[in-house]
């Protein structure tokens, strides 16, 4: 789960950075179709969901 959370956070932050350059990931182009405010809410929600998955996911114990 930590890996999925990390990827979600990377895509969310990357989408925010790219939105300032008037670009977006092809996978996330649909979020701006509903308006700018909803797009920002979805980006922040993706980052928050990624953070929850990252911090709540348990890392595997090292095998000895």
């Amino acid at each position: 789960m930590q890996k999925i959370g990390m990827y979600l956070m990377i895509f969310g932050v990357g989408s925010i950075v790219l939105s300032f350059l008037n670009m977006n990931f092809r996978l996330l182009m649909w979020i701006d179709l509903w308006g700018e405010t909803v797009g920002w809410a979805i980006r922040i929600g993706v980052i928050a969901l990624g953070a929850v998955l990252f911090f709540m996911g348990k890392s595997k114990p090292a095998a000895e």
Side-chain angles (χ1 to χ4, degrees):
M1 285 303 210
Q2 285 183 332
K3 199 173 209 179
I4 294 171
M6 181 178 64
Y7 287 136
L8 281 174
M9 288 190 296
I10 289 170
F11 277 118
V13 171
S15 179
I16 288 174
V17 170
L18 288 176
S19 72
F20 289 122
L21 301 172
N22 292 326
M23 302 168 92
N24 208 345
F25 291 119
R26 187 170 281 179
L27 182 66
L28 299 177
M29 287 175 57
W30 59 271
I31 63 175
D32 286 330
L33 295 176
W34 293 332
E36 189 174 340
T37 305
V38 175
W40 278 99
I42 293 172
R43 286 180 182 99
I44 292 170
V46 166
I47 293 171
L49 177 64
V52 167
L53 289 176
F54 182 78
F55 291 115
M56 297 298 277
K58 295 183 180 182
S59 60
K60 297 178 183 176
E64 292 185 29

